[in-house]
Each structure stands twice: as C-alpha cells, then as structure tokens.
Amino acid sequence: MAESKPTAPTRGRLPAELTSFVGRRRALAETRRLLSSSRLLTLTGSGGVGKTRLALRMAAEVRRTFPDGVWFVELGALQDPALLGHTLAGTLELSQVSANPTADLAEYLEDKHLLLVLDNCEHLAEACAVLVSKLLAAAPHLRILVTSRHVLGVEGEQVLSVPPLSTPSAEVPAADADQYEALILFADRVRAVMPEFVIDETNRAQVIELCRRLDGVPLALELAAVWMRTLSLAQIIDRLADRFRLLTGGRPAGPARQQALEAAIGWSYDLCSPAERMLWERLSVFAGGFELEAVEEICSGDGVPREDVLDLIAGLVNKSIITRTVATDHTVAWYDILSTMCHYGGRRLADAGQTSEFERRHRDYYRTLAARWEADCFSPRQADWYIRMRREHENLRVALDFCLSEPGEGAAALEIAAPLWNFWFAGFLREGHRYLSLAIDAAPEQTPTRAKGIWAGAYLSMFLGEAEQSTRLLAECAELAERYDDEQLRARIAEVEGQALIYQGDLTGAVARLERGLTSYRAVQDELGEFDLLILLSAATFFLGDPRVEEFSRLAYELAESRSAASSKAYALWSTGIVRWRDHDQFEEATRAFREAIRLWLPMNDRTGIGFCVQALSWCAGSTAPDERAARLAGASRAVWRSSGAHVDETTPYSQFDELTAQRIRAVVGDEVFDGAFAQGAVYSFEQAVALALGEERETATKPGMAGRLTRREHEIAGLVGEGLSNREIAARLVISQRTAETHVEHILSKLGFSSRAQVGRWIAEHPDR
C-alpha cells in the first residue's frame, strides 16, 4: 500500500460496526502485511469464523491511505452472477454503464487508488474470479480484499486462512486464561444481556471449557452468550455436549471449528419453540432483509399463526438469530438474518420439502407489492414507496430470478418488473432494462401483460440511448393497444414517443404528440400519467420559447401538490424553476426551487431527478454569475448525470443549453479558467456535486502528487489533444464514444492541474515518454 496517498476527507462506503471488535491483533497485522505486498487478498475460513468483521476492521484502519475510497460490496444476497458487475458499479456510484459493465468498471477504475472489499463471494466464485482478474489487469492502483469460504484461484492471489479466536489450552493456568480472545469476546457479548457479568474464580473454569468446546468460533460464542440470559453455564455446556454427540454419531467428524458452529446453531435451533423453528426456516427465502408485513404474509400459516408472527420475530431477535435495524421517518422496522443462519434454515426448509412452496409465496408477495406500488406511488406515500422499494431491492431480484428460472413464469416476471418502470428509472436503469428484456423474451404470448411490459422496456431503452430497440418495442405496443382498444396504453406510447422527440430536438413534433397523450391520460383519469405529460410539455415548450410553458408548469405543480407526492413535486419545482429563471429573471426564486427539489429527492436517492436540478442550477449560475464556481457547477452536473445512469444531458435541447452556458462563462473568465474549473467539477463524487449545488461545499484538500500520473489511455489521448484533435475527432480515431473522450480529457486536465488543451499540448511535447 506504499503507493497510495493520504487525503481528506475519505471517500467510500463501509457499513458501521454494531458491536465491539475483540482481539485479532495477529490476524490484523498479517492481513495488513499481505495487503501491502499484494493487490488481491482473500480471507478464507468456515462460516462464523469472523472473516467479514476482520475485513471491515482492516478496511476501516487503512481507508485514509486510499484517496479514492474504500468500498464494501456485500454479495451474500446476490444470486445472479450476471448482475455482479451492475452491483459493483452501483456501489461505486457508477450508474451510467453499458450492457458490458465489466468494461465500464475497468475503464473507470483505471486511474483510481481505492480498495474494494468483496464480501461473501463463495457462491459467485467463478464470476468474481473473472471480474477481479479483469479489474486488476486494467487498474494498476486497485487493491481487492475478498472474504470467501473458497479461494478464487486468480493469478497473484494471496490467501489468509482466518483462524478462530485464541482459546486457552489445557496446559494454560486458569489465572492466565482471561486474556485469550475467545474469553474476552464471550464476556463482552454476555455483558450485552447481563451487564453485571464478570469472569472470576467461580465461573472461569466453565467459561474456558465452553470456549474450548466452541473452538473459539466467534459466531458460536455469540450464540452461546445470548442464552446466558436464561441458562447457566453448566446447562449450556451440557446441551452442547449432547449436540456434539448428535453431530458426530454415525459419521466421520468434520473440522473442529465446523463442528463447533454446527453444534451452536443446531443447539440454538433446538432451544427455539416449534413455531420459531418453522419461522426461521421460512425466513431463508428472503434476501437482504425483510419487514414484518412481508413475514406475516409469506411465512404464516401451517403451524405459524399470523397473529403470533411479531412475538416470534421478537423471540428470534432475542436469540440473535435475526437482527433489527432502526426505523426512520420513511420506513418501518427492518430485520435481517445472518447468512450462516439463513443457510441453516434453508437446509431445514429443503429437508421438509417446502422450499418451492415458500419461494412461490415470496414471488406472489412481491408481485402484489409491485401492483400496490403502481396504484399508490402518486400519493402522500410516494417518498415512502421509493425508499421502501430500494430497501426491498434484493427481494425484488430474488422474485424476478425465480420467475425467470421457472418454465412458464415469464408473465409473472413482467407483472413484477413492468409496474416498477419509474423505480428502475430513478436509479436502476440498466438492471430494470435487463429484467424487462429477459421477461419479454420469456413471455412471447401477446397479452395485455406483455403490452405493459414492452411499453416499460421501450421507456427504459429510450433513456439508455437504445433507440432502435425502443422503436421496435413501441411498434408492437401500438399493435396491442389497438387490439385491446387500450386508451391508457395509447397515452403511454405517446409519452415515450414525445419524450424521444424532445431528446432528438424535434420540439414542435414533441408538443403535438404529447398533447394527444395528455388528452388520453385525462380521458382514463390516470393522474400520474397526466402529471408526467405536463412535465414533458413544460420542458418542450420551455425549449421552444412557447409561452404555454407557464400554464403547463403551474398545472403540474398544482397536481403534485394536490396528491402530496414528494418526488413528483420535485419535478414540478424543476419545471417552475426553469421558467422563473429564464422568463422572469428570478434567479433567487429559481435557485430555491431547484434546491428544494434536490432535498426532496435525496432521501429517495433519485439521481436522475437530482441530475435535472444540478444541471438547471448550472444554467442559472452561468447566466447570472458566470464565474469559476459556475464552471465548476457545470462540471458537477456532468458528474451527477454520470452517477444517475441516464443519458438526458447528451440529448439535443439539454446539451444546447449546456453549450450556451459554457460560452457565457468562457466569455467572462476565459477558456483556461473555465476548462480547469469544469474539469474539477466533472470528477466530483455525487456527494461533492450535490454539496456544491446546495451551496454547502467545503474546501477540501486536492490530491497531492497527481501531476503527470496519467493512465496509458489518458497519455494516448493527451497526445491526440497535443496534435490539435477535437473530442469528436479523438473519439473517431480511437473508436470510442465522444462522451468517453470528453471524460478522459476532463481527467487529464484535472490531473495535470491545467485549464486548457493548449497546456496539455505543451506538456506532452515536453514529456513524450511519460
């Protein structure tokens, strides 16, 4: 890790450690040594031995040595290897990815100094090995820390087998045993349920015996500690002895630590009531967590009375089988089950022959939830719905994966994926597009369900720049709209076609198409559709200079207010804000509107919506205060759009306003200042860009020593800049998109500390071999 450099503040994403970290000084030192001398380190070991905790503690300790952050990616709930790249890109806030996210990740990470922590990789070992190999080959300053029960088998991989906690042997005097890690952890966890607990002369021998029986496996010790609330040490030891005899009877004994964990989990299972055991088993169909309502709906019945579910959940929380997170203003209590416990429950459910039954019940619940979202998401609960569905993301994936893996279930997949079109739009464009494409292929029969699915697919395709696919799907959709005489579907087709015309620059045609769609939405009393069309009409008439923009904006705002729908209100604030800025010269009022919209969207993490407002704020600043900050804000707008995954800023009317804004700022500050400030904003993180837009930016230290540190690709592009090629010409020469070429040039300017392309040309002439 010597080549990494300290900087402030740190970036990245690490989950909080909810309990104290005990011991592991030797393991931490060895992990640090191996991570400093290799770029890939895999922590292996059996379940419950503490691989994740060790990785998290190490990541927290070294995070300041990675200027581009330490990023934790939990993969235990991910079932589809094809979503691995998308999951990693989402964690890294890189939403604007293509159908080949691995290539996009490799390009993004090429010049980054960061640490990736990939947790629970064993079930995705092959996919992880391929991805890790490609990323390490492309990014020379990347380091990866993996936790897995199995090695990945990647060239250059260092492996550290995580041992159990140190436990005193029979030869160690009892008086010297208190400093062993297993005893310290056990005592710490017992004090969480019995604050007065201490290890003393009366119980030391029993604690030592218990720690030895459990082989120092942390999860096993934590499970035993929970039972100290109701059992004595002697009772716990006796019951564990019975469990060990059951485990080893009639078959060869496994590794000691595996026996210890299986004994502790099995013993905890035996101590649960019959209803708690059944609930534990059924909870294994969830992924990423669950809320009480879902458990009541999916897991009740046949031995688990619905009215008892809450008490049973409380019992499993008290026994540390599941954990609970704190509710917020927008959420209810959320529960999770440790992966080891989940696997145990899943095996028991399979042994009972009930897996398929509860997977179908899980699927049916999330199909119903998607329908409820569609019916209720234009309401005072709109923000709650967005936050809830983000939290349910893993369960939605599992439900969709189940449908797509079962013959004849393609229509059910469409019934889940299609109603969520606006959820996918708000942050999961590429994933939603993938699921809809697979579901459309799996449900070829022309039905109303397919019609809604292909409309949603066409909608997302448009935002991803997949114009040909969008057009093809809309053509079939139009045929089905006529077959079923579906006026709402006609309106939806008009919405997509009108929006596509806006992005193509045909504003007059867009207005005509959207007005027809608005009439249809009103005819079927679809208020969300009506609102969407009003926003699109306000955008089209704004770009046209059509005075009707005021009416469309006002009507959109009044409709959103009447429904108290937070996300929709934010879009209406964007619409009214751009009118106040341009047509009434009300810069302060417009700025307040855009910032209020951003704050409404932040709890929902709607980066597409936030992209619209940061972009609009840059237009305001460019016309009212065309200075270095305005140039930085224009660059920050680019950073937010990149994070959102949508390509709206690349479309004709929006890009024209961006270009006009740049010209205004250049005319005041000059090309060099503009280019340098724009490049600085363009490499901002999402959080930095939002802080700048909200006027809450703090001065942060720049990365030292970056001058001249160009990647091979960037040096190649710098050479082409030195030859006088434009971004368009560079893109054609290298067979890359113009957007990619622009981003490379922005990074080059930022790294070299330059503000103009001419400076790059002089630098490349002076350093031809760098």
Side-chain angles (χ1 to χ4, degrees):
M1 290 175 286
E3 55 194 38
S4 300
K5 312 168 297 305
T7 187
T10 55
R11 292 189 59 210
R13 182 180 299 170
L14 283 179
E17 295 183 88
L18 301 180
T19 55
S20 59
F21 186 84
V22 173
R24 296 291 197 193
R25 283 186 298 177
R26 185 174 300 174
L28 278 169
E30 185 66 6
T31 303
R32 182 188 295 274
R33 183 186 69 80
L34 291 173
L35 195 58
S36 67
S37 61
S38 61
R39 297 177 54 221
L40 171 63
L41 173 60
T42 299
L43 303 180
T44 65
S46 59
V49 80
K51 301 182 294 294
T52 298
R53 287 303 303 271
L54 179 60
L56 278 173
R57 175 47 59 106
M58 176 51 56
E61 290 189 4
V62 302
R63 66 189 309 174
R64 291 191 176 276
T65 68
F66 290 93
D68 295 304
V70 174
W71 303 83
F72 182 86
V73 190
E74 208 291 310
L75 297 174
L78 182 64
Q79 296 185 2
D80 186 354
L83 289 176
L84 178 61
H86 294 288
T87 301
L88 181 52
T91 300
L92 291 170
E93 303 172 357
L94 183 68
S95 296
Q96 200 169 71
V97 295
S98 68
N100 183 8
T102 300
D104 298 311
L105 283 164
E107 183 175 342
Y108 173 75
L109 292 169
E110 187 178 14
D111 64 335
K112 297 295 190 292
H113 290 66
L114 60 75
L115 173 66
L116 285 177
V117 182
L118 305 181
D119 189 42
N120 289 320
C121 296
E122 52 273 354
H123 62 301
L124 301 168
E126 184 176 347
C128 285
V130 172
L131 179 65
V132 163
S133 297
K134 292 180 177 179
L135 296 185
L136 290 174
H141 307 298
L142 171 68
R143 292 180 190 273
I144 300 178
L145 179 59
V146 170
T147 75
S148 174
R149 297 189 189 186
H150 316 292
V151 299
L152 297 187
V154 174
E155 183 178 358
E157 178 184 23
Q158 291 276 359
V159 178
L160 177 63
S161 179
V162 178
L165 297 176
S166 61
T167 306
S169 64
E171 293 75 25
V172 174
D176 298 333
D178 292 3
Q179 299 308 307
Y180 281 79
E181 295 169 335
L183 273 71
I184 296 172
L185 177 73
F186 180 75
D188 179 83
R189 299 306 190 252
V190 173
R191 279 193 288 271
V193 297
M194 296 174 58
E196 73 281 1
F197 179 80
V198 294
I199 298 177
D200 56 25
E201 296 302 323
T202 64
N203 62 18
R204 183 176 288 109
Q206 289 179 318
V207 172
I208 292 172
E209 182 180 357
L210 178 62
C211 291
R212 287 175 183 161
R213 283 183 178 271
L214 295 178
D215 200 47
V217 175
L219 179 55
L221 291 167
E222 291 179 347
L223 287 173
V226 169
W227 289 103
M228 286 290 291
R229 184 190 289 117
T230 52
L231 297 174
S232 69
L233 279 165
Q235 288 174 310
I236 293 174
I237 292 169
D238 288 343
R239 283 161 173 76
L240 274 175
D242 291 340
R243 192 70 201 184
F244 273 115
R245 282 192 292 271
L246 180 63
L247 273 176
T248 56
R251 63 179 177 87
R257 68 187 68 171
Q258 180 178 333
Q259 286 186 50
L261 184 61
E262 288 187 17
I265 296 176
W267 170 70
S268 292
Y269 177 87
D270 291 342
L271 287 174
C272 291
S273 69
E276 285 176 333
R277 294 177 202 167
M278 283 188 280
L279 185 60
W280 179 349
E281 294 166 6
R282 296 170 188 182
L283 292 175
S284 65
V285 300
F286 288 98
F290 44 86
E291 61 181 46
L292 178 62
E293 176 193 289
V295 178
E296 290 175 330
E297 189 67 29
I298 296 169
C299 301
S300 64
D302 191 21
V304 179
R306 188 185 184 98
E307 63 271 16
D308 292 349
V309 167
L310 177 57
D311 288 340
L312 296 173
I313 287 283
L316 292 177
V317 169
N318 289 335
K319 297 175 177 67
S320 291
I321 308 304
I322 62 178
T323 58
R324 177 187 179 275
T325 60
V326 178
T328 69
D329 291 341
H330 292 282
T331 64
V332 297
W334 186 253
Y335 303 92
D336 201 358
I337 182 168
L338 288 173
S339 60
T340 306
M341 304 298 190
C342 186
H343 292 153
Y344 185 88
R347 291 200 306 269
R348 299 300 298 248
L349 192 67
D351 291 342
Q354 295 183 312
T355 301
S356 180
E357 174 189 348
F358 285 96
E359 286 179 340
R360 290 184 182 279
R361 293 179 68 169
H362 180 275
R363 185 275 314 277
D364 290 342
Y365 176 82
Y366 285 98
R367 178 166 54 184
T368 300
L369 195 67
R372 289 169 57 193
W373 152 281
E374 184 177 38
D376 193 43
C377 72
F378 191 52
S379 74
R381 293 165 294 282
Q382 189 178 61
D384 298 349
W385 270 113
Y386 273 97
I387 294 169
R388 178 179 184 178
M389 297 306 260
R390 280 186 173 271
R391 199 162 64 165
E392 294 279 17
H393 186 195
E394 294 290 353
N395 281 310
L396 292 170
R397 280 178 168 176
V398 167
L400 285 164
D401 289 339
F402 173 80
C403 295
L404 293 170
S405 65
E406 292 287 315
E409 295 284 355
L414 285 177
E415 289 173 342
I416 297 172
L420 299 176
W421 59 270
N422 40 0
F423 168 73
W424 303 124
F425 169 78
F428 303 100
L429 272 169
R430 183 64 65 180
E431 180 178 330
H433 176 263
R434 176 181 177 276
Y435 273 124
L436 281 163
S437 298
L438 292 171
I440 288 168
D441 290 343
E445 184 179 356
Q446 292 194 321
T447 63
T449 296
R450 178 176 171 83
K452 182 184 289 188
I454 59 178
W455 172 81
Y459 183 87
L460 297 187
S461 298
M462 176 191 62
F463 279 102
L464 289 169
E466 306 284 352
E468 182 179 342
Q469 183 187 27
S470 183
T471 301
R472 174 173 52 80
L473 291 173
L474 283 179
E476 181 185 347
C477 199
E479 293 177 4
L480 294 176
E482 296 309 311
R483 175 184 297 183
Y484 300 115
D485 191 23
D486 189 333
E487 192 66 14
Q488 183 185 50
L489 189 55
R490 292 189 187 103
R492 287 179 162 180
I493 294 169
E495 177 180 349
V496 178
E497 291 178 342
Q499 198 158 0
L501 289 172
I502 292 177
Y503 295 160
Q504 293 163 16
D506 182 1
L507 300 172
T508 302
V511 170
R513 196 76 185 91
L514 292 169
E515 285 185 318
R516 290 198 296 273
L518 180 63
T519 300
S520 294
Y521 272 134
R522 285 172 170 168
V524 298
Q525 298 181 327
D526 183 339
E527 288 190 314
L528 177 59
E530 178 183 353
F531 172 82
D532 289 343
L533 266 294
L534 288 170
I535 290 294
L536 291 173
L537 281 164
S538 67
T541 50
F542 169 80
F543 291 126
L544 267 176
D546 185 328
R548 289 181 295 171
V549 64
E550 294 241 25
E551 179 186 5
F552 290 132
S553 297
R554 177 182 57 80
L555 289 173
Y557 186 85
E558 290 174 354
L559 185 53
E561 274 280 83
S562 71
R563 300 303 298 265
S564 300
S567 178
S568 299
K569 180 181 177 181
Y571 275 105
L573 285 167
W574 169 82
S575 176
T576 57
I578 56 177
V579 175
R580 289 174 183 173
W581 157 62
R582 191 188 67 179
D583 296 348
H584 301 290
D585 203 25
Q586 297 175 346
F587 171 73
E588 291 185 2
E589 291 83 352
T591 298
R592 279 197 295 271
F594 297 138
R595 287 177 173 174
E596 182 183 350
I598 290 173
R599 291 189 176 99
L600 284 170
W601 273 317
L602 277 174
M604 296 174 254
N605 198 26
D606 185 343
R607 300 193 175 195
T608 303
I610 291 170
F612 280 109
C613 282
V614 176
Q615 183 180 41
L617 282 166
S618 74
W619 296 346
C620 290
S623 64
T624 309
D627 53 15
E628 181 271 343
R629 181 185 178 277
R632 208 152 28 94
L633 189 55
S637 168
R638 175 72 57 80
V640 175
W641 279 122
R642 185 174 62 245
S643 172
S644 78
H647 293 254
V648 176
D649 61 323
E650 298 177 4
T651 58
T652 301
Y654 292 89
S655 63
Q656 287 176 344
F657 264 74
D658 286 341
E659 183 57 34
L660 179 60
T661 297
Q663 291 173 5
R664 287 172 173 166
I665 302 172
R666 288 180 189 275
V668 176
V669 303
D671 290 343
E672 292 189 6
V673 172
F674 176 86
D675 289 339
F678 184 93
Q680 183 182 0
V683 296
Y684 271 4
S685 68
F686 173 77
E687 288 77 11
Q688 288 174 307
V690 169
L692 176 64
L694 294 176
E696 300 170 355
E697 184 187 36
R698 300 175 183 175
E699 292 298 322
T700 58
T702 58
K703 299 176 187 178
M706 289 300 291
R709 181 170 288 167
L710 303 185
T711 64
R712 293 186 299 274
R713 180 62 124 185
E714 286 169 348
H715 194 278
E716 180 182 17
I717 291 175
L720 298 178
V721 170
E723 294 177 21
L725 272 65
S726 67
N727 289 337
R728 184 186 298 275
E729 291 167 333
I730 292 171
R733 176 80 64 87
L734 300 178
V735 197
I736 58 177
S737 71
Q738 184 174 341
R739 174 62 176 276
T740 299
E742 290 170 356
T743 301
H744 278 305
V745 172
E746 292 162 8
H747 288 176
I748 291 165
L749 290 167
S750 177
K751 287 183 180 182
L752 299 179
F754 294 158
S755 55
S756 74
R757 299 168 76 95
Q759 288 176 295
V760 176
R762 288 193 295 271
W763 181 85
I764 203 72
E766 295 169 1
H767 306 86
D769 300 322
R770 289 294 290 271

